[in-house]
């Protein structure tokens, strides 16, 4: 039974009452040129939240032109210090309106409101403040050359107009990850939110204008991948595309980028190994294995969805993990008692349920969950049972393919070499976890795992200062930390003849 349902605050009701929601182009909220709209659905009820104007190729064109005009014009006159102040102002405004963002995110994405309040909103604010700090600290170098009497220095310049395409799992955080670093570096932005979750990005657009960003510097155009996303990726006047999403979409983006050889950074899928050795702290590892998968309904690219457990502690660890999973309260995101909401969309719901059937057919045993939620109060909405598969092997499809849902596969192993081989036997390379009290073993394994991030005796630790990204088919480029500045700047070498 839905108990303490959060009532939407008046600001959210007001935001939703002006519909269809318009896109932000050149400092104004405008309709799509085609007049087309699409539905934004509440995944907890399958009901329409609000209609949104749908950007397609022509709207992307308008937005790119606006970004180009701003980049070559007004934005060039804005100093690093002023960029910093704009970002600080934006962060302050998001903080001030934090509750609205938490409610909108929960309503649109399905996530538990307590998670949105504790994580999505504060992490967004912190992220923007961090890059505000960088805006005044980006510079080139002087270089001692030996080829003659020259003074040689480098300028670190913004790459220009950037297209940013984001997914639906952390809509607000992803918008902040993309926009903040680009703006700190002096770029102009066209952001395309995911079609499932455009609402917090559009509210963010309102605050961007309130913060005083010049027109055209940040444009926000909700639309579908194959139309507006593809148009942005292929656009001849976009200098760089930053993308987070599926590996298969990443491939399309790379192909589209070839037209004008724009720069690309990709944060893609994963099937991350989380390895528990018998000498690890088993209680902590069970909790860590849980945290690695079950927040945000398991819709996390670096989810530790392949849980490798050394045979002598396999039973103990999986039964401890099962008892933690069994305590999860699944419900609508806006229910204050909910730990885990619905998955984001009907497509995602179908996909996860299909994988649950595939796993069972392959011989994995669902010791927790294994199907859609049976609660009669949750028959509308995309509610999936949090699932623990034991008896899994690394060869099963459920252990090889990204499910992007609340599903974990526990796979037993016998020794280090075997587990490292299996952990690396995947096309992905995003995250990895290791649980052991043996410090030498921990570092040895961290060294040989092919992943962009390795967590030792923890999982899903994140900080805006620490770089995040993948290797292999999980993508390239790093977001967060100072490494993200490389995505949005390019180096110019200047020579001065001193003779
Ligand atoms: P998912 O299938 O989980 O939604 P996607 O990779 O398809 O993941 O979506 C992530 C983002 O990529 C979304 O904003 C989506 O609209 C966009 N997208 C999807 N297909 C394309 C494409 N062909 N070109 C550019 N963007 C795309």
């Amino acid at each position: 039974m839905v108990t303490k349902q959060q009532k939407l605050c008046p600001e959210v009701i007001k935001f939703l009452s002006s519909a269809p929601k318009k896109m932000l182009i050149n400092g104004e909220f405008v309709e799509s040129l085609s007049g087309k709209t699409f539905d934004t659905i509440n995944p907890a009820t399958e009901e329409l939240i609000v209609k949104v104007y749908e950007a397609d190729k022509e709207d992307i064109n308008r937005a790119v032109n606006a970004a180009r005009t701003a980049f070559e014009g007004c934005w060039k006159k804005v100093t690093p210090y002023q960029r910093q102040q704009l970002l600080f102002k934006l962060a302050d405004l998001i903080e001030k309106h934090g509750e609205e963002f938490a409610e909108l995110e929960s309503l649109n994405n399905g996530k538990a409101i307590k998670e949105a309040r504790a994580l999505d909103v504060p992490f967004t604010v912190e992220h923007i403040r961090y890059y505000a700090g960088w805006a005044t600290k980006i510079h080139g170098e002087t270089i001692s050359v030996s080829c003659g009497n020259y003074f040689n220095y480098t300028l670190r310049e913004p790459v220009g107009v950037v297209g940013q395409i984001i997914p639906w799992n952390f809509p607000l955080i992803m918008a902040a990850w993309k926009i903040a670093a680009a703006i700190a570096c002096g770029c102009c932005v066209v952001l395309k939110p995911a079609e499932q979750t455009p609402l917090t990005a559009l509210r963010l657009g309102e605050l961007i204008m309130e913060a005083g960003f010049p027109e055209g510097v940040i444009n926000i155009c909700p639309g579908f991948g194959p139309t507006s996303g593809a148009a942005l990726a292929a656009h001849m006047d976009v200098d760089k595309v930053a993308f987070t999403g599926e590996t298969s979409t990443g491939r399309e983006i790379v192909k589209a980028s070839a037209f004008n050889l724009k720069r690309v950074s990709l944060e893609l899928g994963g099937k991350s190994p989380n390895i528990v050795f018998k000498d690890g702290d088993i209680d902590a590892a069970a909790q860590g294995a849980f945290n690695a998968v079950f927040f945000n309904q398991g819709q996390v690219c670096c989810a530790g969805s392949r849980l490798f457990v050394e045979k002598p502690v396999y039973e103990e660890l999986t039964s401890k993990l099962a008892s933690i999973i069994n305590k999860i309260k699944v419900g609508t995101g806006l229910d204050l008692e909910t730990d885990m909401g619905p998955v984001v969309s009907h497509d995602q719901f179908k996909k996860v349920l299909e994988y649950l059937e595939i796993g069972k057919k392959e011989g994995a045993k669902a010791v927790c969950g294994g199907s859609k939620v049976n609660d009669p109060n949750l028959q509308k909405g995309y509610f999936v049972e949090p699932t623990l598969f034991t008896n899994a092997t690394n060869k099963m499809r459920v252990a090889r393919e990204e499910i992007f849902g609340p599903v974990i596969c526990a796979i037993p192993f016998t020794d280090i070499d075997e587990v490292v081989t299996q952990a690396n036997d995947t096309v992905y390379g995003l995250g990895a976890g290791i649980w052991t009290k043996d410090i030498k073993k921990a570092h040895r394994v961290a060294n040989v795992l092919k992943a962009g991030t390795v967590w030792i005796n923890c999982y899903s630790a994140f900080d805006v200062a620490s770089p995040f990204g993948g290797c292999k088919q999980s993508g390239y480029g790093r977001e967060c930390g100072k490494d993200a500045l490389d995505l949005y700047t390019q180096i110019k070498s200047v020579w001065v003849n001193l003779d």
Side-chain angles (χ1 to χ4, degrees), residues 165-168 192-196 223-231 233 243-250 252-253 348 351 404:
I165 302 174
I166 59 172
W168 42 259
K192 195 204 80 64
E195 52 271 37
Q196 298 85 349
F224 291 87
T227 50
S228 53
F243 171 72
T244 301
E246 275 190 44
T247 294
S248 56
T249 314
E252 294 305 311
I253 303 244
Q348 196 57 22
K351 177 178 159 189
F404 223 64

Side-chain angles (χ1 to χ4, degrees), residues 15 18-25 28-32 37 50-55 62 198-199 201-203 205-206 220-222:
F15 174 78
S18 69
K21 299 306 304 172
K22 295 176 177 171
M23 59 190 86
L24 175 62
I25 297 181
E28 283 179 39
F29 283 90
V30 295
E31 299 176 4
S32 54
T37 61
V50 68
K51 285 189 179 289
V52 174
Y53 279 107
E54 179 193 333
R62 282 198 287 172
L199 298 185
L202 291 175
R203 181 69 185 113
E206 294 180 352
I220 300 178
C221 301

Side-chain angles (χ1 to χ4, degrees), residues 314-315 318 359 362-367 388-394 396 409-412:
Y314 186 83
E315 280 310 317
T318 51
E362 285 178 311
K365 188 170 164 213
V367 292
L388 167 58
F389 277 132
T390 58
N391 207 23
T393 73
N394 202 42
M396 291 178 175
C409 295
I411 305 167

Side-chain angles (χ1 to χ4, degrees), residues 92-118:
D92 290 348
L93 284 170
I94 297 169
E95 194 167 54
K96 184 172 151 206
H97 295 274
E99 178 57 22
E100 280 169 63
F101 279 103
E103 289 177 20
L104 269 180
E105 202 73 315
S106 174
L107 189 68
N108 194 176
N109 161 284
K111 67 178 70 196
I113 180 91
K114 61 185 174 196
E115 223 170 80
R117 283 179 185 150

Side-chain angles (χ1 to χ4, degrees), residues 167-441:
W168 42 259
N169 57 342
F170 295 98
L172 181 63
I173 290 179
M174 285 296 112
W177 274 31
K178 294 286 182 281
I179 290 173
I183 292 297
C185 292
C187 295
C188 290
V189 166
V190 178
L191 177 86
K192 195 204 80 64
E195 52 271 37
Q196 298 85 349
T197 54
L199 298 185
T200 45
L202 291 175
R203 181 69 185 113
L204 182 67
E206 294 180 352
L207 298 190
I208 284 167
M209 295 324 296
E210 190 178 334
F213 281 88
E215 59 194 32
V217 170
I218 303 172
N219 305 274
I220 300 178
C221 301
F224 291 87
T227 50
S228 53
L232 195 52
H235 203 291
M236 295 300 282
D237 204 24
V238 169
D239 300 298
K240 183 224 153 53
V241 164
F243 171 72
T244 301
E246 275 190 44
T247 294
S248 56
T249 314
R251 268 184 217 111
E252 294 305 311
I253 303 244
V254 171
K255 281 189 222 157
S257 73
F259 289 115
N260 68 336
L261 295 177
K262 59 175 68 65
R263 294 161 57 148
V264 177
S265 52
L266 302 170
E267 203 264 89
L268 307 175
K271 196 75 196 177
S272 300
N274 188 16
I275 306 170
V276 182
F277 290 100
K278 64 176 190 267
D279 60 0
D281 176 335
I282 301 304
D283 287 320
Q287 187 61 51
F290 173 81
N291 297 343
V293 171
F294 292 98
F295 85 100
N296 210 38
Q297 294 77 250
Q299 301 167 143
V300 183
C301 51
C302 57
S305 49
R306 289 185 298 147
L307 177 65
F308 291 100
V309 189
E310 200 161 2
K311 273 185 183 151
V313 293
Y314 186 83
E315 280 310 317
E316 182 188 354
L317 185 115
T318 51
S319 68
K320 283 183 170 160
L321 175 57
S323 66
I324 303 173
I325 292 172
N326 286 333
K327 291 195 191 100
I328 298 179
K329 185 171 178 322
V330 180
T332 63
L334 288 171
D335 184 336
L336 298 175
E337 288 172 358
T338 290
D339 301 315
M340 205 180 91
V343 298
V344 74
S345 64
H346 185 255
D347 283 353
Q348 196 57 22
F349 184 55
K350 245 179 61 198
K351 177 178 159 189
V352 177
L353 294 183
E354 271 166 26
Y355 271 114
L356 295 181
E357 292 313 308
I358 291 168
K360 286 184 248 174
K361 279 202 196 101
E362 285 178 311
K365 188 170 164 213
V367 292
C368 302
S371 59
K372 76 190 205 41
V373 167
N374 287 320
D375 182 338
N377 294 306
L378 300 177
Q379 291 313 296
K380 269 241 166 255
Y382 312 126
F383 296 95
V384 180
E385 288 180 330
T387 299
L388 167 58
F389 277 132
T390 58
N391 207 23
T393 73
N394 202 42
K395 296 268 175 263
M396 291 178 175
R397 280 184 66 194
V398 282
R400 302 197 77 74
E401 297 171 21
E402 189 178 41
I403 299 175
F404 223 64
V407 185
I408 188 166
C409 295
I411 305 167
F413 72 89
T414 41
D415 65 55
I416 290 201
D417 292 339
E418 180 209 341
V419 76
V420 166
T421 304
Q422 290 201 67
N424 285 337
D425 179 16
T426 165
V427 296
Y428 297 113
L430 197 53
I434 302 165
W435 299 83
T436 174
K437 289 184 190 142
D438 178 343
I439 190 142
K440 284 192 202 156
K441 192 198 285 180

Side-chain angles (χ1 to χ4, degrees), residues 123 126-128 130-131 134 173-174 176-178 180-182 265 267 453 461-469 477-488:
F123 201 48
E126 187 183 346
H127 195 91
I128 295 174
Y130 173 86
Y131 282 102
W134 271 115
I173 290 179
M174 285 296 112
W177 274 31
K178 294 286 182 281
S265 52
E267 203 264 89
T453 300
F462 273 99
D463 191 283
V464 55
S466 179
F468 182 79
R478 293 292 177 267
E479 298 190 292
C480 302
K482 73 173 164 37
D483 298 83
L485 306 176
D486 294 337
L487 304 182
Y488 296 107

